[in-house]
């Protein structure tokens, strides 16, 4: 079955880079996602990457995908206190490329940014 | 556009009570889904729907019922609430072929 794993906690200083890691087991993953959840709020899509890509950059965010190792990472450059949140990795594995609204999520990584 | 709207935001139930969590979207999305979020476990899929009149089970469907009579609405019913159903519930929707989910703000349910 599908499984997505993340480390639970990450603590960084303001201005440093943060790297949040995720591993998944299903080699047929088509899309991989990063969502952000601030306290008491819903999930906000940060970025996503298609499985035939190795890297995607969007302003301060860089996503790296290693399909061989089934490893996904999210790098946040110049991390700010406003980046403190829970970050979820998720995968879509529907072979037809459509998730039908079904994603498999990791446990979430709590990012704490210290001034 | 309102996006995905969930009501209520907070609810406290006693064991054995029933209730319905409402979810509505105004984006004409075909696909809708319900997830529950528990600490350290991420989000797990309860039920999903690919269109009006069509629903299917996700990873953790026991204790929950759904129906989809219209494209816009996808209510989640708890027939006899249990403390194990204490959680935060999220509804999500996506258009056919879009592969990007839009989430509601969540409904926090406590079962005593």
């Amino acid at each position: 079955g599908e499984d997505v794993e993340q480390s639970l906690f990450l603590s960084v200083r303001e201005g440093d880079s943060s790297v949040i890691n995720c591993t998944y087991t299903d080699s047929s993953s088509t899309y991989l996602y990063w969502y952000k959840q601030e306290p008491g709020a819903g999930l906000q899509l940060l970025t996503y990457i298609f499985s035939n890509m190795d890297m995607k950059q969007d302003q301060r965010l860089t996503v790296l995908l290693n399909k061989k190792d089934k490893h996904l990472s999210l790098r946040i450059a110049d991390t700010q206190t406003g980046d403190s949140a829970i970050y979820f990795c998720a995968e879509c594995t529907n072979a037809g490329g459509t998730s039908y609204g079904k994603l498999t999520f990791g446990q979430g990584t709590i990012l704490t940014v210290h001034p | 556009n309102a996006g995905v709207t969930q009501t209520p935001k907070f609810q406290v139930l006693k064991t054995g009570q029933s209730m319905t969590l409402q979810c509505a979207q105004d984006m004409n999305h075909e696909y809708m889904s319900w997830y529950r979020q528990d600490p350290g476990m991420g989000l797990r899929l309860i039920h999903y729907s690919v269109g009006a009149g069509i629903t299917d089970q996700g990873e953790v469907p026991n204790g929950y019922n759904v129906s989809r009579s219209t494209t816009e609405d996808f209510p989640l019913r708890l027939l006899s609430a249990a403390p194990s159903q204490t959680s935060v519930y999220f509804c999500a929707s996506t258009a056919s072929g879009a592969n990007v989910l839009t989430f509601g703000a969540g409904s926090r349910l406590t079962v005593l």
Side-chain angles (χ1 to χ4, degrees):
Chain A
E2 304 142 9
D3 196 18
V4 179
E5 297 283 338
Q6 299 177 241
S7 54
L8 293 183
F9 302 99
L10 177 65
S11 180
V12 301
R13 284 194 183 278
E14 192 173 20
D16 288 350
S17 292
S18 306
V19 179
I20 302 171
N21 294 303
C22 170
T23 58
Y24 59 96
T25 58
D26 196 325
S27 57
S28 64
S29 293
T30 52
Y31 289 90
L32 293 134
Y33 305 82
W34 285 104
Y35 282 87
K36 176 183 180 182
Q37 184 183 34
E38 296 181 355
L43 273 73
Q44 170 195 354
L45 177 68
L46 284 179
T47 187
Y48 65 97
I49 188 168
F50 189 53
S51 59
N52 68 354
M53 298 170 64
D54 298 323
M55 186 182 86
K56 182 177 180 181
Q57 188 152 2
D58 185 0
Q59 298 182 350
R60 291 191 298 125
L61 306 178
T62 303
V63 178
L64 295 178
L65 176 60
N66 182 328
K67 286 192 68 176
K68 175 176 171 291
D69 294 337
K70 299 188 184 68
H71 182 267
L72 182 75
S73 68
L74 173 70
R75 178 177 180 269
I76 306 172
D78 187 24
T79 313
Q80 302 297 308
T81 55
D83 294 322
S84 293
I86 304 176
Y87 290 80
F88 290 97
C89 168
E91 66 171 355
C92 161
T93 56
N94 186 281
T98 300
S99 71
Y100 301 115
K102 301 189 299 175
L103 298 184
T104 300
F105 284 83
Q107 306 94 316
T109 299
I110 300 173
L111 173 64
T112 303
V113 182
H114 299 284
Chain B
N1 283 344
V4 178
T5 303
Q6 291 183 235
T7 56
K9 291 193 185 310
F10 301 95
Q11 182 71 49
V12 178
L13 291 178
K14 294 182 179 177
T15 297
Q17 287 185 315
S18 63
M19 78 155 301
T20 299
L21 299 177
Q22 302 289 346
C23 176
Q25 52 93 7
D26 60 358
M27 298 170 284
N28 203 32
H29 285 172
E30 293 88 342
Y31 306 145
M32 297 185 74
S33 46
W34 276 103
Y35 293 83
R36 61 176 288 174
Q37 181 184 15
D38 302 292
M41 300 186 73
L43 278 76
R44 292 179 292 168
L45 181 66
I46 305 172
H47 285 285
Y48 67 101
S49 169
V50 299
I54 307 171
T55 64
D56 205 348
Q57 296 181 350
E59 181 185 355
V60 289
N62 292 341
Y64 307 96
N65 280 353
V66 292
S67 60
R68 184 100 179 268
S69 56
T70 67
T71 300
E72 294 78 18
D73 300 298
F74 191 42
L76 179 72
R77 297 184 185 86
L78 286 73
L79 298 180
S80 179
S84 61
Q85 294 178 302
T86 294
S87 188
V88 181
Y89 292 85
F90 287 99
C91 180
S93 72
T94 185
S96 172
N99 292 307
V100 174
L101 267 66
T102 300
F103 281 87
S107 296
R108 183 175 293 273
L109 175 66
T110 301
V111 183
L112 303 175

